[in-house]
Amino acid sequence: PSAVSSGKPGIAWLAGQASMLLYIRYIDLNYTPKLKLAFFLQDANPFGFTIGIKMPGGLEEKLRDRELPEIFERYELQSNFLKNSWDTLTTVLLILAIIFVLSLVKIVTAAKCTRINRAFAAILGSLKWNTPLMVLCGSFGKVYFDASLQLQAGSGDSLWEVISVGLAVVMIFIGMIILGLSIKVVKDIWRSREEMEKKWENFQLFFESYRRNSFVSFGYMAIFLARSVLFNLIIANLYNYPLAQSILINLITFVMVGYLMHERPLKHLLEFVQLLANEIFVIIVNTCALMIAIMDKANIRGQDLRDDLCNTIMTILSVFSSFNLGFFVLQILVVSFFLIRVLRRLKAQDQLN
């Protein structure tokens, strides 16, 4: 199975884990200049499942940027939610617009153009609603991070600032609805599999990839989303307490890895290996950050150790991208192998007939 198919949440997991690795730059620690530069040069959302639609210059000029704590200003973060989340919001709106148009075409062609109708129905089935959910789940924690920055900065008296604050609040509630929906879908299917799978077939992102050996393993997506929110809220709001931030995110990550190893929630081995390996990368980086936080708190200079810790973080950041690109290629090869086997089997059946 492909990590990018409509019902497969691999891209969402990857985007969330990548942001957890990178967002330790917002913990106010004495990193080495080399690591600070590496943080600054990193893409803020390297594995985001978004299109990259640029905000119009006229609108951008109307969105005032208010002062944020220095640790966020250091990386040129904006306070405005609309500006920070523009890519995610416009990507979701574009996908919803495509779904709407395809739905209209399907209705219009239902009576006469059966072939066209079936083609558009198949395309619609792959998009609705898994694809917009994939985008939102991949940026789930980031939405709460951006909303926190906006609410800290306030709204001011500009209409667009008020709209931005309103959007931040709305997206917080939409996130809560998505989290609640993921739990409901899993709960319904756990109770009545065949009937409810048909009912929730457009929400496969929440249940298709997970083992059903326990309710906790089957509900992995809800756990992943809740963890993403908690991580981002800690980074965005506890910026005055770097040691507390480091301790909390380490606790969360160790609990998550323990859960993964005990429950093994994913059906497919390749996906599970990739997910667990990425969590181990996150643990290593978080542990390095915790050691630096302890050194800072105790006023321990320890330059050699600090250099080693920061170099380890830099190594993990570079290995993470290469490792996951390698897994992506491997998954494509596996899918290609199975397709070739199926085609050969069909060809052999045709020859026998």
Side-chain angles (χ1 to χ4, degrees):
S2 170
V4 295
S5 60
S6 63
K8 295 291 181 180
I11 292 293
W13 302 333
L14 186 55
Q17 290 171 320
S19 68
M20 289 174 200
L21 279 178
L22 184 58
Y23 277 25
I24 66 157
R25 67 183 181 179
Y26 302 127
I27 302 177
D28 193 8
L29 301 176
N30 290 320
Y31 297 119
T32 59
K34 190 190 296 186
L35 179 56
K36 288 180 181 178
L37 178 62
F39 280 151
F40 189 80
L41 295 176
Q42 284 278 335
D43 184 351
N45 196 19
F47 288 96
F49 192 51
T50 52
I51 298 171
I53 301 172
K54 191 175 180 181
M55 177 177 283
L59 176 57
E60 193 169 1
E61 291 174 2
K62 295 177 182 178
L63 298 175
R64 290 182 58 190
D65 182 33
R66 296 186 170 273
E67 187 176 356
L68 288 171
E70 193 274 334
I71 186 62
F72 302 126
E73 294 279 354
R74 187 182 303 167
Y75 294 99
E76 301 180 356
L77 277 180
Q78 307 288 318
S79 63
N80 194 281
F81 178 81
L82 182 56
K83 188 182 292 185
N84 288 334
S85 296
W86 177 261
D87 195 14
T88 300
L89 296 174
T90 51
T91 299
V92 171
L93 288 175
L94 180 60
I95 294 170
L96 292 177
I98 292 171
I99 289 172
F100 177 73
V101 172
L102 289 174
S103 299
L104 288 180
V105 173
K106 183 185 173 187
I107 292 170
V108 170
T109 59
K112 298 180 180 179
C113 308
T114 54
R115 287 187 178 180
I116 296 175
N117 181 265
R118 284 198 296 268
F120 277 98
I123 298 170
L124 185 62
S126 67
L127 288 175
K128 181 185 175 183
W129 299 102
N130 287 303
T131 304
L133 282 172
M134 176 80 78
V135 177
L136 287 172
C137 290
S139 303
F140 204 76
K142 182 180 182 300
V143 166
Y144 281 81
F145 181 85
D146 293 341
S148 294
L149 297 186
Q150 175 68 83
L151 295 176
Q152 288 174 32
S155 64
D157 52 4
S158 163
L159 174 62
W160 283 104
E161 287 184 273
V162 173
I163 290 173
S164 185
V165 171
L167 270 174
V169 174
V170 168
M171 290 305 296
I172 287 172
F173 280 104
I174 288 176
M176 293 169 65
I177 291 170
I178 291 173
L179 182 57
L181 181 63
S182 69
I183 296 171
K184 177 172 175 52
V185 169
V186 168
K187 187 177 178 182
D188 285 353
I189 295 174
W190 182 258
R191 288 178 173 176
S192 179
R193 176 172 178 173
E194 292 183 6
E195 179 185 348
M196 289 301 170
E197 273 195 10
K198 187 172 181 61
K199 175 183 175 181
W200 296 110
E201 62 182 348
N202 291 325
F203 298 85
Q204 293 177 357
L205 191 75
F206 296 142
F207 66 86
E208 184 61 28
S209 297
Y210 313 110
R211 296 171 66 197
R212 306 184 188 203
N213 52 321
S214 72
F215 183 77
V216 175
S217 63
F218 191 38
Y220 172 72
M221 194 63 184
I223 294 171
F224 179 83
L225 294 177
R227 182 267 191 103
S228 296
V229 171
L230 189 56
F231 177 93
N232 280 271
L233 289 178
I234 289 169
I235 298 297
N237 294 284
L238 298 181
Y239 50 85
N240 284 326
Y241 309 98
L243 181 57
Q245 286 178 310
S246 301
I247 292 171
L248 288 172
I249 64 174
N250 269 280
L251 284 174
I252 294 169
T253 308
F254 274 103
V255 168
M256 194 67 171
V257 170
Y259 159 79
L260 289 175
M261 295 181 72
H262 183 265
E263 295 291 335
R264 288 193 58 195
L266 305 189
K267 289 179 180 178
H268 301 290
L269 181 61
L270 271 181
E271 288 183 344
F272 176 72
V273 170
Q274 182 183 16
L275 185 70
L276 183 60
N278 286 339
E279 289 292 347
I280 291 171
F281 288 147
V282 174
I283 276 183
I284 294 170
V285 168
N286 288 349
T287 302
C288 289
L290 176 59
M291 293 177 69
I292 295 170
I294 293 171
M295 291 171 69
D296 288 350
K297 187 68 175 179
N299 294 318
I300 300 171
R301 191 167 187 274
Q303 194 59 48
D304 289 341
L305 177 58
R306 192 180 298 270
D307 288 343
D308 289 342
L309 293 171
C310 290
N311 288 336
T312 300
I313 293 173
M314 288 179 62
T315 301
I316 294 296
L317 290 177
S318 60
V319 168
F320 182 84
S321 298
S322 302
F323 174 80
N324 284 286
L325 287 173
F327 252 92
F328 181 74
V329 172
L330 182 60
Q331 286 188 327
I332 292 175
L333 291 175
V334 170
V335 171
S336 301
F337 173 75
F338 279 110
L339 285 175
I340 291 169
R341 286 187 62 182
V342 170
L343 290 173
R344 284 178 177 173
R345 192 175 300 166
L346 291 174
K347 187 177 180 180
Q349 289 176 353
D350 287 340
Q351 289 175 351
L352 288 172
N353 294 332

